[in-house]
Amino acid sequence: MTDLCLFCGIIAGTVPSVKVAEDETTFAFMDINPGSDGHILVIPKRHSKDLFEIPDEDLTAVTLAAQRIAKAAVAEFGADGVNLLNCCGADAWQTVFHFHLHVIPRYLDKTKDRLVLPWQPGTPGDLEAIDTLGSRLFTTLDGQLSEALE
Ligand code: 5GP
Ligand code: ZN
């Protein structure tokens, strides 16, 4: 619990919200500026700033809750699909610094759906750059794994 955190306030009930689900570890409520009809946020009750800080057990619980809620939302709202989204860091669009997963039902009917992809799907990448970046990350992750096993 952090006094200055908006989402901690929602969990505590000092900030109003439209709750859709709650269990021991997680809380889910409607987003106030929905990207589509039925946009939901799923958060851990224990405060973590972001994806890098959240403990394994809270991340697992939030992800499983988001899956359950996504299935229910698609069925209940008659959606055609669903996106899960996490923003980590201000430059990656994070505006509230209490970890959350967006559950965003998607509709063919665009009167219900205001989401657009921020990049042009199908634009071919630079194959050399893809290979270089992939190889660098593989080496880093492989090194971390070896260190952990030592
Ligand atoms: P972020 O940009 O950090 O990934 O997402 C923050 C989300 O929180 C946004 O989609 C925003 O609409 C939502 N949000 C911000 N303030 C409130 C609030 O007071 N109540 C609710 N229900 N959602 C909020
Ligand atoms: Zn918080």
Side-chain angles (χ1 to χ4, degrees):
M1 170 78 188
T2 303
D3 282 349
L4 295 175
C5 173
L6 178 66
F7 287 177
C8 282
I10 284 180
I11 292 160
T14 53
V15 176
S17 73
V18 178
K19 175 170 108 174
V20 300
E22 179 177 9
D23 61 26
E24 213 177 295
T25 318
T26 70
F27 191 91
F29 56 101
M30 301 304 285
D31 195 297
I32 207 158
N33 309 120
S36 72
D37 291 4
H39 183 163
I40 301 143
L41 298 171
V42 188
I43 63 178
K45 287 186 171 171
R46 181 163 44 169
H47 180 90
S48 287
K49 185 176 68 157
D50 61 21
L51 178 68
F52 297 151
E53 199 176 84
I54 186 171
D56 293 1
E57 60 272 29
D58 284 358
L59 180 59
T60 303
V62 170
T63 306
L64 291 174
Q67 183 195 40
R68 187 172 75 85
I69 291 164
K71 283 182 188 167
V74 166
E76 182 64 29
F77 302 143
D80 302 297
V82 63
N83 284 116
L84 294 192
L85 172 72
N86 170 252
C87 304
C88 182
D91 291 335
W93 306 332
Q94 187 172 6
T95 57
V96 177
F97 290 84
H98 179 129
F99 178 86
H100 49 283
L101 282 183
H102 296 258
V103 177
I104 312 175
R106 304 303 309 278
Y107 306 88
L108 294 173
D109 176 356
K110 293 306 165 198
T111 63
K112 299 178 175 179
D113 190 322
R114 295 157 290 282
L115 242 63
V116 286
L117 265 180
W119 74 92
Q120 199 67 49
T123 307
D126 175 343
L127 289 181
E128 212 176 295
I130 292 168
D131 189 52
T132 305
L133 294 175
S135 303
R136 271 174 52 193
L137 195 56
F138 180 88
T139 306
T140 300
L141 291 171
D142 200 41
Q144 284 177 4
L145 200 62
S146 308
E147 262 175 42
L149 292 174
E150 274 172 18

